[in-house]
Amino acid sequence: MANRYWVSSITGDWNDTNNWSASSGGVSGVSVPGINDDAIFDTNGQGNCNVDINIHIKSITFTDSINREFHTNDFDIEFDDFSNINGGGVFLSDSDITVNGHFYSGYDGSSFASSMTEHTDFETCTITIYGTLAINQSLTNLDNCFVNLAGTGWLLTAQDGNFGNLTISGDYQGDFEVPLTIHNFSVTGTFDFPSDNIISCSGPANISGTLSGDLTLSLSSTSTLAYTNNNID
């Protein structure tokens, strides 16, 4: 297991050892991040990153507010552990993304960060997460994504924002600082709310799993609700 730091000052490819170092701002030429490695983007690597291979690594972390672009270019991405985007200017698009641990964006593990200065866009991605998803939605765009929470954990959100497509297929609890807006909403697992929360659904809501707790589910005039008897508590 090793840390790999992106050190390119110009646009470069992920699969190029000239862009990676074993230390922040250090000498380049080390191996590209692999399955046991943590990939770290900080102020000492301000160049854009173009993904040019499928990626399977331990984790990825963005720690700065550099307006850096990270293009996944329809390659598959998999993170095996906790990953954190607390920097800005990150763009993950047109890819299948799997996170086998927790995934934070604009969240430091205990509170929602306000230090992100650039927007984080997930464009037309399919994202499957097996741990907690915690996002500052005013800085994280998931409008055009298909998000599936498939493991065990929490969905934590802050600020206004939308989910284009959200499926809860695992065992999750929810807590939102403001009402959550979802277009296509599906619960095939369990989704519980220990405290008062609101979901506003603008499209179909399909509840074949269990939706429970202190939740107000608000449907628009064009929404449809399909559920199995006794699975909304």
Side-chain angles (χ1 to χ4, degrees):
M1 182 180 72
N3 289 339
R4 290 291 180 260
Y5 291 82
W6 179 259
V7 292
S8 179
S9 61
I10 60 174
T11 297
D13 292 334
W14 174 282
N15 193 31
D16 184 345
T17 59
N18 291 315
N19 297 323
W20 296 100
S21 175
S23 60
S24 178
V27 177
S28 63
V30 300
S31 59
V32 171
I35 192 170
N36 295 315
D37 299 330
D38 300 300
I40 301 169
F41 291 77
D42 62 16
T43 55
N44 289 315
Q46 300 187 20
N48 298 337
C49 179
N50 284 321
V51 174
D52 54 339
I53 57 171
N54 293 332
I55 294 174
H56 186 180
I57 60 177
K58 181 183 177 186
S59 71
I60 194 166
T61 302
F62 292 81
T63 64
D64 54 45
S65 59
I66 301 300
N67 190 15
R68 177 197 303 104
E69 297 184 5
F70 182 88
H71 292 281
T72 59
N73 299 313
D74 206 23
F75 287 98
D76 293 340
I77 313 293
E78 184 168 0
F79 309 131
D80 279 342
D81 205 347
F82 164 75
S83 292
N84 191 359
I85 298 177
N86 254 342
V90 181
F91 299 84
L92 299 168
S93 60
D94 301 318
S95 293
D96 290 333
I97 300 171
T98 302
V99 184
N100 295 315
H102 303 320
F103 190 84
Y104 296 170
S105 181
Y107 183 75
D108 65 7
S110 60
S111 61
F112 286 96
S114 60
S115 59
M116 289 174 61
T117 59
E118 302 296 335
H119 203 80
T120 303
D121 279 318
F122 297 83
E123 301 172 356
T124 62
C125 290
T126 298
I127 306 175
T128 303
I129 298 173
Y130 290 91
T132 290
L133 172 61
I135 55 173
N136 185 330
Q137 285 201 293
S138 68
L139 299 169
T140 309
N141 178 21
L142 292 164
D143 289 9
N144 299 313
C145 286
F146 293 84
V147 178
N148 179 18
L149 300 184
T152 302
W154 286 79
L155 173 59
L156 305 172
T157 67
Q159 307 300 319
D160 295 323
N162 301 317
F163 278 92
N165 306 273
L166 176 64
T167 296
I168 308 295
S169 63
D171 183 10
Y172 279 82
Q173 293 180 293
D175 192 22
F176 319 135
E177 290 190 358
V178 295
L180 185 66
T181 300
I182 305 170
H183 181 61
N184 295 312
F185 180 43
S186 176
V187 178
T188 60
T190 61
F191 202 15
D192 181 61
F193 295 86
S195 59
D196 185 24
N197 283 274
I198 299 173
I199 290 177
S200 177
C201 190
S202 60
N206 297 297
I207 315 299
S208 60
T210 300
L211 188 62
S212 62
D214 195 354
L215 173 70
T216 299
L217 179 60
S218 174
L219 303 177
S220 73
S221 60
T222 58
S223 296
T224 58
L225 174 63
Y227 65 96
T228 303
N229 288 337
N230 300 321
N231 64 347
I232 298 181
D233 184 10

